[in-house]
Amino acid sequence: MVNEVIVSDDWTRNWQASIAVKITALVMWVIIVAVFIVATWLLRDMESRLQADFEAGADRIAYQVASLVEAGAAGETADLTARMAELQQGSGFSAIGLSLGQQDFLVGDADGQDVIERHLPTALAPGQDIDLEVFHPNLDELVAQRRNQLVIGIFATLLVFGLFLTWSIRTIVHRPLQQLVSATRAVSEGRREVRLDISREDEFGYLSRFFNQMLDRLMAQQRELEQAAEEARSVSRAKSAFLANMSHELRTPLNAIIGYSEMLEEEAGDIGARELTPDLHKINSAGRHLLSLINDVLDLSKIEAGKIEINPVMFQLRDLVSDVVDNIQPMMLRNNNHLQVEVPDPPGRMFSDETKLRQVLMNLLSNAAKFTEDGKVRLQLSRRRERGEDWVQFVVEDTGIGIAPEKLGRLFQEFSQVDSSSTRKYGGTGLGLAISRRFCEKLGGRIEVDSEPGSGSRFTIHLPADFGQLLPEPASRTTVPATRDRVGDTAGPGNAGKALIVDDNASSRDLISRTLQAEGIEVIEARDGREAIALLESQRPHLICTDLILPNMNGFDFIKWLRANPLTTELPLVVVSAMDINPADRRELELQRARIVPKGVNLRQQLVSLLQELVNGETAAG
Amino acid sequence: MARLLLVEDNEMNRDMLSRRLTRRGHEVLTAVSGHTGVALAGTEQPELILMDLSLPDLDGWEATRVLKGEDRTAHIPIVVLTAHAMAEDRERAFAAGCDDYDTKPVDFARLMEKIERLLQPA
Ligand SMILES: Nc1ncnc2c1ncn2[C@@H]1O[C@H](COP(=O)(O)OP(=O)(O)OP(=O)(O)O)[C@@H](O)[C@H]1O
Ligand SMILES: [Mg+2]
């Protein structure tokens, strides 16, 4: 997939603001600069221009006043004043003063005003000269006033203009952009059905059109992909079903081949036809080989279909190892290999998928047996604590042909035999290690290899001893106090303690609870596994008595839950059951360290003696 | 030796197992379906039953449950045989009440061991 990022490299990229704000700010900035330049130019020589204007005005007034005086109006003072007032009105001057010989005239308000003087010789009479004073506002003040007006005007205009600009950008750019943004967000959140309005005839219109087209394309592609995936799924389902079916169908005739050849081998011995035995044996072992291949293919197809299920059970490692060793011994002898087993004493228990682990070990051991001749194979079991968890480690080491370093990498891949000559010489499909790896991973662990060509190989598997810890956490774990100390630890000898009774039958619950109370034990009761688990969220009993047949969650599942939960895994457990427990269940219960007390006439007595046993420290936990 | 009942629908498997068991000196009764198996067990009182799981009409799990639920047959140990090596089949078989379990093709020596263990008086 090529992901091309188109970068626009302009300086506004790192400016965090909406586009409307950005554009408005830029335009306003340009306008302010322009206005500032214009304003400076306008204000440049305002003072001198005003001065010149006033001077010119004064000259004009002087001329007019002189004509008035000469027209002989001087005699009638009132008339002259009125004419002067007329002149002053609208002249831009605040006052006009005139001294004519002995007479002074003043129109307007001369207070605090600057003055321009004019002396006019007249033709009327000597000594009749006119002295004229024209008053106007102070120039500096006037300039300041003008400037203020200008500034206020400019800002008012800018404000209006800016608002208009923002508004138009909002409608033209921002809103469609916003719609685009929210549509894109909706799409990115998975809502593919959104579409944009395409009626605009500008870039946004085109963009919206392409956006819609893109989505149409995307949806079409998605539909195609989904169809393809669905087809692939159904093909794969069909394949898995076919394989499962097929392997079942193959196994039935194979059963007959294996069984009859074995039988014939025996019978041939009986009737003295010993020369037939080796051939019959070949048929038998070829049949068994074929069966193991079929099983491998089935396993792999199950893994691929994601159908592999982990069925964890509690089991004794000792039993597993001896079983595996018994089964592999014949193969070891065939190549004249010596098998050495190292197991700690006692090896302890493990809660995991025993069948899968057995298969992994058989794979590793049969490889070791197959690729080693006249050598040694070592199976070593050890336990260790890692990050507070219990781990089980198996090492299978041989002194065989070894594996070339460059081949180690794909050893755990399907159908990867180190070289094709291996197939001819040793047989096999190259599935064993692939399956082993997948199983180990499924069991929460890993498999490792270390090998030197010519001197041998070592395969190591690490698995958590308690697969239960990988299971979804039992509900109570979150609320039980975080201290990881085990409930069993607190049930010290001599501590009368607390017991949880799980039984759906009220009268037997009553009977057990009275028996325990008589021994000074506090009793809490639950009617089934679920209720009990809910109770365990807040209560920490020292002993649990449970029936096996319970509504909602039966006793077996409840016990499995208890043992999978670190807080109750060591808790003394008593199964009080009315029914006969079959040997398999009995074995299972023993593995889960449950004591069995049958419901019956002497239940009370049995319970008491069991309690005494527990109190004396001979706890059921083994 | 002992009187055994083999409930198995596949003819070859039935023939083979019964012949091999007979060779070991056992008396072998056979049934080809769950119902006949249950009926035979009631009338013939075998000492042990070998039960295939996939049977026509009454399947092996059901037959086991019926046999274990009846007073006349509840005491007879049942070994379940199946071609499915699935753990859940095994669990279900034990839940139905069988006493032991083995996968087909049977490892005859192992099966004999199981039979002998179950036949020993408890
Ligand atoms: N202990 C070993 N020593 C040397 N080579 C080994 C050893 N274990 C595995 N190999 C090599 O790795 C290959 C893959 O092993 P794997 O168990 O997956 O398949 P296989 O044994 O050939 O067939 P299968 O186990 O499916 O019958 C083998 O073919 C062999 O070449
Ligand atoms: Mg192998």
Side-chain angles (χ1 to χ4, degrees):
Chain A
M1 201 72 179
V2 184
N3 281 318
E4 192 182 338
V5 178
I6 304 166
V7 182
S8 68
D9 205 14
D10 70 289
W11 55 271
T12 57
R13 267 181 69 202
N14 298 326
W15 179 11
Q16 264 201 1
S18 87
I19 288 180
V21 171
K22 282 183 182 177
I23 295 182
T24 313
L26 281 176
V27 172
M28 299 288 274
W29 188 81
V30 170
I31 290 173
I32 287 173
V33 169
V35 164
F36 180 76
I37 292 168
V38 172
T40 342
W41 185 75
L42 283 178
L43 290 170
R44 182 191 32 147
D45 37 74
M46 186 178 265
E47 192 170 344
S48 57
R49 273 189 294 127
L50 279 174
Q51 179 76 50
D53 281 356
F54 283 133
E55 296 282 345
D59 287 342
R60 200 175 62 244
I61 299 245
Y63 170 75
Q64 283 167 338
V65 169
S67 6
L68 278 179
V69 173
E70 275 170 10
E76 297 145 49
T77 317
D79 194 30
L80 184 63
T81 315
R83 299 296 297 273
M84 275 174 61
E86 267 171 36
L87 279 179
Q88 188 247 330
Q89 296 287 307
S91 68
F93 292 104
S94 14
I96 300 173
L98 176 70
S99 68
L100 240 184
Q102 301 308 314
Q103 281 180 297
D104 285 337
F105 302 89
L106 180 70
V107 291
D109 183 9
D111 240 19
Q113 305 287 301
D114 282 1
V115 66
I116 301 172
E117 291 181 355
R118 285 287 181 274
H119 182 78
L120 303 171
T122 57
L124 290 179
Q128 280 266 27
D129 282 358
I130 299 168
D131 283 314
L132 187 74
E133 287 176 319
V134 184
F135 297 91
H136 62 83
N138 179 276
L139 273 180
D140 288 343
E141 277 174 20
L142 212 55
V143 170
Q145 199 188 337
R146 290 275 168 86
R147 199 194 307 122
N148 287 347
Q149 283 169 355
L150 198 65
V151 167
I152 289 171
I154 287 172
F155 274 103
T157 322
L158 276 183
L159 196 69
V160 172
F161 185 73
L163 285 175
F164 173 73
L165 199 65
T166 318
W167 174 81
S168 41
I169 293 173
R170 281 197 96 82
T171 38
I172 300 171
V173 180
H174 190 70
R175 211 166 297 152
L177 210 55
Q178 199 72 63
Q179 283 164 1
L180 209 64
V181 167
S182 56
T184 315
R185 148 122 43 90
V187 172
S188 77
E189 282 166 359
R191 283 186 286 134
R192 296 266 159 100
E193 65 287 346
V194 285
R195 288 295 179 275
L196 285 168
D197 167 31
I198 52 165
S199 59
R200 290 180 77 94
E201 286 297 336
D202 57 12
E203 284 88 336
F204 287 112
Y206 310 143
L207 197 57
S208 305
R209 237 162 279 167
F210 290 131
F211 184 85
N212 289 355
Q213 276 176 20
M214 183 177 82
L215 278 181
D216 290 343
R217 279 281 277 279
L218 220 61
M219 277 177 83
Q221 276 175 1
Q222 197 186 356
R223 262 195 303 275
E224 274 168 34
L225 277 179
E226 270 166 12
Q227 251 168 30
E230 182 42 49
E231 268 165 37
R233 263 195 298 275
S234 73
V235 166
S236 145
R237 260 197 304 272
K239 191 187 89 177
S240 303
F242 171 76
L243 278 171
N245 238 333
M246 207 38 204
S247 68
H248 181 68
E249 293 304 315
L250 290 173
R251 266 194 271 209
T252 308
L254 212 49
N255 275 341
I257 294 174
I258 293 169
Y260 278 111
S261 60
E262 213 166 270
M263 194 168 78
L264 279 177
E265 209 181 312
E266 289 167 14
E267 282 176 356
D270 286 357
I271 61 172
R274 291 215 176 273
E275 68 280 7
L276 292 178
T277 324
D279 288 348
L280 290 167
H281 192 76
K282 275 176 212 154
I283 296 176
N284 185 268
S285 57
R288 288 194 181 273
H289 186 196
L290 185 54
L291 184 72
S292 81
L293 296 186
I294 291 170
N295 286 340
D296 278 358
V297 171
L298 182 66
D299 274 342
L300 207 69
S301 75
K302 270 200 281 186
I303 292 172
E304 263 165 14
K307 283 239 184 66
I308 196 93
E309 274 176 30
I310 300 298
N311 293 292
V313 291
M314 190 66 84
F315 60 91
Q316 294 286 356
L317 281 164
R318 189 196 302 281
D319 296 344
L320 172 73
V321 170
S322 69
D323 196 41
V324 167
V325 167
D326 283 352
N327 274 302
I328 204 70
Q329 211 45 276
M331 266 193 90
M332 292 290 164
L333 296 179
R334 204 168 307 152
N335 273 357
N336 196 23
N337 290 318
H338 173 70
L339 177 64
Q340 181 189 341
V341 182
E342 291 168 28
V343 175
D345 193 36
R349 279 186 308 262
M350 186 171 177
F351 183 72
S352 194
D353 192 321
E354 190 186 3
T355 321
K356 301 224 164 44
L357 177 53
R358 182 194 313 264
Q359 200 173 329
V360 172
L361 288 175
M362 284 303 289
N363 266 327
L364 296 183
L365 284 168
S366 66
N367 282 351
K370 197 156 70 167
F371 299 107
T372 309
E373 266 170 53
D374 305 320
K376 263 208 308 229
V377 176
R378 197 167 65 96
L379 170 66
Q380 187 203 42
L381 161 65
S382 57
R383 305 186 70 125
R384 58 190 58 207
R385 284 193 80 76
E386 259 174 47
R387 280 170 272 116
E389 275 170 38
D390 223 356
W391 286 76
V392 174
Q393 178 187 294
F394 287 95
V395 175
V396 176
E397 199 174 16
D398 63 53
T399 56
I401 60 172
I403 304 157
E406 66 272 16
K407 301 287 165 59
L408 284 178
R410 44 182 189 83
L411 200 61
F412 295 107
Q413 282 163 19
E414 290 83 34
F415 308 106
S416 77
Q417 287 181 325
V418 162
D419 59 86
S420 47
S421 65
S422 163
T423 322
R424 261 170 281 131
K425 185 166 171 202
Y426 301 102
T429 46
L431 289 176
L433 288 177
I435 292 170
S436 300
R437 190 202 75 202
R438 308 272 191 114
F439 279 0
C440 286
E441 285 167 1
K442 271 282 182 188
L443 293 175
R446 59 185 190 279
I447 183 166
E448 283 159 10
V449 61
D450 193 9
S451 177
E452 204 163 301
S455 58
S457 319
R458 185 171 65 217
F459 287 85
T460 311
I461 60 180
H462 302 269
L463 296 173
D466 183 3
F467 184 77
Q469 291 181 356
L470 307 175
L471 295 174
E473 302 223 335
S476 76
R477 236 189 251 184
T478 47
T479 40
V480 168
T483 44
R484 296 270 287 189
D485 61 338
R486 309 199 159 199
V487 174
D489 297 348
T490 59
N495 181 353
K498 197 194 290 183
L500 168 62
I501 300 173
V502 193
D503 201 325
D504 54 335
N505 182 314
S507 62
S508 59
R509 212 164 52 224
D510 198 46
L511 174 66
I512 302 168
S513 105
R514 271 187 283 130
T515 311
L516 293 176
Q517 276 163 347
E519 297 298 310
I521 290 172
E522 195 192 328
V523 169
I524 48 178
E525 299 180 5
R527 268 168 310 182
D528 60 52
R530 276 206 214 142
E531 248 186 63
I533 287 172
L535 258 181
L536 285 170
E537 283 187 16
S538 52
Q539 303 272 358
R540 302 181 72 189
H542 306 118
L543 169 76
I544 295 183
C545 294
T546 180
D547 195 356
L548 284 179
I549 305 201
L550 295 168
N552 293 327
M553 186 188 205
N554 73 37
F556 284 104
D557 292 343
F558 175 55
I559 289 169
K560 266 189 207 146
W561 182 92
L562 285 176
R563 289 320 187 205
N565 186 335
L567 284 171
T568 52
T569 181
E570 297 296 339
L571 201 62
L573 189 60
V574 180
V575 168
V576 184
S577 178
M579 65 160 199
D580 249 335
I581 302 173
N582 70 48
D585 285 342
R586 195 172 279 276
R587 229 174 303 139
E588 173 77 5
L589 288 173
E590 273 163 20
L591 271 180
Q592 304 276 22
R593 289 155 289 138
R595 300 293 290 256
I596 300 166
V597 175
K599 270 184 201 168
V601 272
N602 51 359
L603 167 66
R604 180 182 290 238
Q605 190 201 322
Q606 289 202 42
L607 261 182
V608 171
S609 64
L610 182 62
L611 274 171
Q612 271 158 0
E613 219 180 279
L614 288 174
V615 168
N616 291 336
E618 300 170 26
T619 53
Chain B
M1 287 278 284
R3 197 170 152 89
L4 312 178
L5 170 62
L6 170 64
V7 190
E8 159 75 84
D9 64 321
N10 182 285
E11 201 198 321
M12 279 200 284
N13 281 338
R14 196 173 59 236
D15 172 57
M16 184 175 71
L17 252 184
S18 63
R19 272 168 63 190
R20 294 181 84 182
L21 289 166
T22 313
R23 271 173 44 78
R24 297 293 168 105
H26 295 296
E27 181 192 345
V28 184
L29 309 164
T30 55
V32 293
S33 75
H35 282 306
T36 48
V38 170
L40 222 59
T43 53
E44 299 293 326
Q45 291 289 310
E47 285 160 71
L48 185 138
I49 302 172
L50 292 165
M51 175 80 72
D52 182 30
L53 278 184
S54 47
L55 292 170
D57 61 28
L58 195 64
D59 72 25
W61 292 286
E62 259 322 300
T64 304
R65 206 165 292 128
V66 172
L67 287 168
K68 286 296 176 183
E70 264 174 37
D71 285 346
R72 264 153 41 110
T73 51
H75 64 279
I76 307 176
I78 299 179
V79 178
V80 160
L81 299 176
T82 178
H84 314 252
M86 313 246 187
E88 67 213 35
D89 288 350
R90 205 183 72 146
E91 308 265 294
R92 272 179 69 200
F94 277 126
C98 78
D99 299 82
D100 217 329
Y101 180 97
D102 214 329
T103 49
K104 292 193 288 189
V106 289
D107 179 333
F108 196 68
R110 192 174 64 196
L111 181 66
M112 281 312 292
E113 231 171 69
K114 286 183 176 173
I115 291 174
E116 266 148 36
R117 202 169 48 228
L118 285 170
L119 284 177
Q120 258 148 38

